[in-house]
Amino acid sequence: MGWWTVSAGSPVLHRIRTAAALPRTEFQLTLRAIGALAAARVLIALVGFRRLRGFVGVAPPRARPDAAYARMVRRAVDRAARTIPGSKCLAQALVATRLRRAGGVPGDLTIGVVKAGTATFEAHAWARSGDMIVTGDPDLSRYTELATFFAPT
């Protein structure tokens, strides 16, 4: 058996079957999320966050919340993060913002830190569309927001 052989109970085969069962739009969004997440990880390491504005893309052509599309983006980024090991919150938030904006759905990307009174420094990034947290910790009450980017104008 070579490296290309996949057994019936293989996690790889399970992922392929699961992906094949997705609706076409969600499958395509997941593939875009995987590619964008890989690119985001490399770009963050090479150029840093300040120079990534172009990666996220232009402002959405239609400024209306679309909760169904934002949920699809959330699922696609979750799948991509399970596929690309070591994907941290900043890369995930950048990709979610990129995909959401490309779909014309407004929102923002926020960076925060754990509130004062803790012994360790902990930063976190999350993407939001309206009231929905697209990526990031669902309990943001423990963070103090430092900066918000890409908010609709």
Side-chain angles (χ1 to χ4, degrees):
M1 285 190 160
W3 62 269
W4 59 87
T5 306
V6 178
S7 68
S10 165
V12 172
L13 189 56
H14 174 73
R15 280 195 181 169
I16 292 169
R17 285 183 182 145
T18 303
L22 291 172
R24 181 182 178 133
T25 303
E26 197 155 349
F27 177 72
Q28 290 172 339
L29 195 59
T30 299
L31 290 179
R32 288 176 46 209
I34 290 169
L37 192 56
R41 291 197 57 217
V42 170
L43 288 171
I44 290 169
L46 293 178
V47 302
F49 179 72
R50 293 181 67 163
R51 297 188 55 201
L52 287 175
R53 211 167 189 72
F55 175 80
V56 170
V58 297
R62 62 180 191 265
R64 65 173 179 79
D66 186 341
Y69 189 80
R71 281 191 296 277
M72 269 197 321
V73 167
R74 178 173 51 203
R75 290 190 301 266
V77 172
D78 284 345
R79 284 187 202 99
R82 288 192 306 270
T83 304
I84 307 291
S87 299
K88 303 293 184 206
C89 59
L90 179 57
Q92 291 178 39
L94 281 165
V95 169
T97 302
R98 175 187 174 105
L99 295 176
R100 198 190 59 241
R101 288 167 66 99
V105 177
D108 58 45
L109 182 152
T110 303
I111 296 176
V113 294
V114 171
K115 293 180 179 178
T118 60
T120 60
F121 175 79
E122 184 183 338
H124 185 53
W126 59 93
R128 199 172 21 212
S129 181
D131 292 337
M132 179 189 303
I133 303 302
V134 180
T135 65
D137 188 344
D139 178 21
L140 298 174
S141 64
R142 55 192 214 113
Y143 298 100
T144 299
E145 292 184 15
L146 293 180
T148 299
F149 305 90
F150 314 112
T153 54

